[in-house]
Amino acid sequence: EADIYQTPRYLVIGTGKKITLECSQTMGHDKMYWYQQDPGMELHLIHYSYGVNSTEKGDLSSESTVSRIRTEHFPLTLESARPSHTSQYLCASSESVGGELFFGEGSRLTVL
Amino acid sequence: GENVEQHPSTLSVQEGDSAVIKCTYSDSASNYFPWYKQELGKRPQLIIDIRSNVGEKKDQRIAVTLNKTAKHFSLHITETQPEDSAVYFCAASRTGGGNKLTFGTGTQLKVEL
């Protein structure tokens, strides 16, 4: 079944650690996005990509980085995690720019 | 760019009552207006959307209305049930124009027994 998969679902790490949040989709979509969301709060776009080797920063400034080497894969990396990075990170994809977004189940990150 | 405002931020209703959530947008060229529902601990999921060429769309107990002149759109839920309790997000975009979806700030709906 076509879906968006995120791993890990939950991660607790110490300050200064490097982490990568994985996102893969079998939707066949070119457009992929990362949103940062505190529980029940606003969705903040932090990165997006419209295709392989194309990445852009979103509306909310983030210290994370992304890459898009394969169409189906859009990982997010934090080189040195801090407690301020504690949040939920949602990956999404769409068939067209501005079209319906399909979200993954999210990765809940806690930095101690 | 587009700016979407959403009200109220929290809404509490009795089971069986109706709930209305309102959004306004700034870009008159926006033509796609989806609504997402996010249950506690779950991912946001599309529940209904409307395009600028129609004024109203219904799907069972939910409906969305669009007023292009006033640049606002609303979500209406009738006969609310406990499972309607969730955070609802409106959004707007200009499809075909390269504009990403812009989300509202969300409404926490609580349906009380």
Side-chain angles (χ1 to χ4, degrees):
Chain A
E1 183 181 339
D3 206 346
I4 300 179
Y5 303 93
Q6 289 188 241
T7 58
R9 291 289 316 282
Y10 303 93
L11 181 62
V12 180
I13 59 170
T15 297
K17 298 292 186 183
K18 176 181 179 179
I19 63 110
T20 296
L21 305 180
E22 303 287 350
C23 176
S24 294
Q25 51 101 357
T26 56
M27 309 289 289
H29 292 160
D30 287 327
K31 285 66 176 173
M32 296 189 74
Y33 313 80
W34 277 103
Y35 287 84
Q36 184 175 342
Q37 183 191 35
D38 291 328
M41 303 297 283
E42 291 181 63
L43 293 159
H44 295 288
L45 180 67
I46 52 175
H47 298 283
Y48 62 98
S49 167
Y50 290 164
V52 171
N53 294 325
S54 164
T55 62
E56 301 286 344
K57 290 189 177 297
D59 306 319
L60 180 69
S61 176
S62 174
E63 294 169 342
S64 58
T65 59
V66 293
S67 62
R68 190 86 184 277
I69 299 173
R70 303 199 317 264
T71 300
E72 64 274 14
H73 195 213
F74 190 38
L76 180 146
T77 297
L78 274 167
E79 290 292 334
S80 180
R82 296 205 303 269
S84 61
H85 297 139
T86 294
S87 189
Q88 174 168 250
Y89 295 83
L90 287 161
C91 182
S93 73
S94 67
E95 183 175 353
S96 61
V97 178
E100 180 183 355
L101 282 176
F102 295 85
F103 286 90
E105 292 187 317
S107 292
R108 191 175 298 278
L109 173 66
T110 301
V111 184
L112 303 176
Chain B
E2 176 66 276
N3 182 50
V4 177
E5 295 188 359
Q6 183 172 348
H7 300 281
S9 57
T10 61
L11 179 60
S12 184
V13 300
Q14 293 293 314
E15 183 180 7
D17 287 349
S18 296
V20 181
I21 303 170
K22 299 181 179 181
C23 290
T24 60
Y25 60 99
S26 61
D27 186 352
S28 57
S30 288
N31 58 11
Y32 176 61
F33 307 92
W35 286 87
Y36 287 81
K37 175 184 181 182
Q38 186 178 27
E39 297 178 31
L40 187 63
K42 301 283 184 67
R43 68 179 99 182
Q45 292 191 300
L46 179 75
I47 55 171
I48 194 167
D49 57 13
I50 191 168
R51 298 188 184 273
S52 59
N53 57 345
V54 297
E56 183 176 0
K57 184 177 179 180
K58 295 180 77 171
D59 183 3
Q60 298 183 336
R61 294 187 298 107
I62 62 173
V64 57
T65 58
L66 172 64
N67 183 326
K68 287 190 295 183
T69 303
K71 290 190 285 188
H72 68 69
F73 57 112
S74 301
L75 177 71
H76 304 254
I77 305 174
T78 59
E79 301 173 26
T80 53
Q81 300 169 5
E83 53 263 39
D84 295 328
S85 295
V87 179
Y88 292 81
F89 293 95
C90 64
S93 70
R94 177 158 45 113
T95 60
N99 286 18
K100 302 178 297 298
L101 270 177
T102 298
F103 283 93
T105 50
T107 296
Q108 174 77 61
L109 173 65
K110 183 177 181 181
V111 180
E112 298 177 334
L113 298 173

